[in-house]
Amino acid sequence: MARNIRRARIGAGIALATTAVLALTACSGAADASAGGGDSAVDAASATSVADFGTFADLEAAAKAEGQLNVIALPRDWANYGEILDLFAEKYPEITINEASPDVSSAEEIQAAETNQGLDTAPDVFDLGLTVALQNTDVFAPYKVETWDDIPDALKEPTGLFVGDYGGYMSIGYDSSKFDAPESLDDLKSADYKGAVAINGDPTQAGAAFAAVGLATVQSDGTLDDFQPGIDFFSELQKAGNLLKVDVTTATVTSGETPVVFDWDYLNASHVADNENWKVVVLDGTGYAGYYNQAINKDAPNPAAARLWQEFLYSDEVQNLWLKGGARPARMEAMTEAGTIDSDLAAALPEVPAETVVPTEEQSTNAGTLLGEKWAAAVQ
């Protein structure tokens, strides 16, 4: 995978160079179901593109025949997933979406696939942080969506085992009725933040929490080659009595249980709807950006529906729905060039640091190993 950029200046799309735009004609209804070319006996589980089904209409027909789609770890208030799920259900009423365990971590998604292997309850698709994706490629089926060429090389595994879809910047959300805006990490170590600072999950399992340690690393004059400075920061936060070991949800933010939260900017921003005093800051200095990745379970009980879901997520319509949720879609640069991006939503994105880092595969893997070895002891 060509994720070899260590430090990059990245604009609103958090993207690197991308290639020419592909028109998603099949999704817009241009595919002719009577055109032939489809094989009713196609093995959906081995299909690596729409071409293996024949036409896009053949893929749709195969997915409708299965009639089910099993998703996991998709909170409806996460990056606009609620609207996205509802749109798929509206577009394909013949396919029942089974939403399981919306609040579990990336690692727990993989565990669910292993626990339910061979059962019709196993997840068909995954939404994963990069570190967990890198650790579990043997669980995924390769697939390239029709808009594959629009996705920057830096965001996709070359065979389509996993592909970045939406991303953002690690930020700090806070209840402004209780706290002033933090200007640096050191502010969070003060007695003013006693028992107040939370991260979204366990960094050995959850992508958002992993990124919080990454941000703490680069904001502490470290580099993504060594997450130790970030681990040290949260260890100091724990020793000061400021670190909250509470899983962050909309409910914990609304109730005030987690009044200061490290999380992706688009997730922190969503809490404003439930707490009018909630504000979000992306710290000056080096910013930390990252994408979540889509993948198909190689043992998906509904393999055609899993592939149709991937095509749906990378369509113009849904890429703009990520943008509506405050996230930056993977195809943003190509869609901007093609004039298919929602320009008003794009213009509403917050300003971000000029200097931004995105971890490479090697950096993510090494950081995951280090966190596995040292995190628990650091914050006990």
Side-chain angles (χ1 to χ4, degrees), residues 16 27 31 47 78 120 146 180 182 251 268 293 305 310 345 370:
L16 307 177
C27 268
W78 178 291
D120 60 10
E146 289 194 319
D180 293 330
N268 262 328
N293 298 271
Q310 300 302 302
L345 291 175
L370 182 68

Side-chain angles (χ1 to χ4, degrees), residues 112-134:
E114 295 171 350
T115 300
N116 293 280
Q117 186 174 11
L119 304 177
D120 60 10
T121 53
D124 290 310
V125 290
F126 305 108
D127 179 294
L128 304 161
L130 179 60
T131 302
V132 173
L134 289 168

Side-chain angles (χ1 to χ4, degrees), residues 3-76:
R3 194 185 295 269
N4 54 10
I5 303 298
R6 298 220 171 202
R7 297 179 73 87
R9 294 186 180 275
I10 306 175
I14 323 177
L16 307 177
T18 184
T19 55
V21 178
L22 294 180
L24 193 60
T25 53
C27 268
S28 63
D32 183 355
S34 65
D39 181 356
S40 60
V42 66
D43 179 12
S46 65
T48 59
S49 70
V50 166
D52 289 332
F53 291 91
T55 67
F56 194 88
D58 293 323
L59 168 59
E60 290 179 311
K64 291 174 183 178
E66 291 172 349
Q68 304 284 324
L69 173 69
N70 299 340
V71 301
I72 186 171
L74 305 185
R76 286 182 158 264

Side-chain angles (χ1 to χ4, degrees), residues 82-151:
E83 188 170 355
I84 291 167
L85 287 162
D86 290 344
L87 179 61
F88 186 86
E90 178 184 343
K91 189 176 182 71
Y92 299 108
E94 306 89 347
I95 302 173
T96 298
I97 304 176
N98 305 304
E99 300 177 45
S101 305
D103 295 320
V104 300
S105 68
S106 294
E108 288 170 320
E109 294 182 56
I110 302 300
Q111 292 168 11
E114 295 171 350
T115 300
N116 293 280
Q117 186 174 11
L119 304 177
D120 60 10
T121 53
D124 290 310
V125 290
F126 305 108
D127 179 294
L128 304 161
L130 179 60
T131 302
V132 173
L134 289 168
Q135 294 169 343
N136 294 280
T137 53
D138 59 336
V139 179
F140 310 146
Y143 187 80
K144 295 183 179 182
V145 294
E146 289 194 319
T147 51
W148 175 261
D149 285 353
D150 279 3
I151 303 167

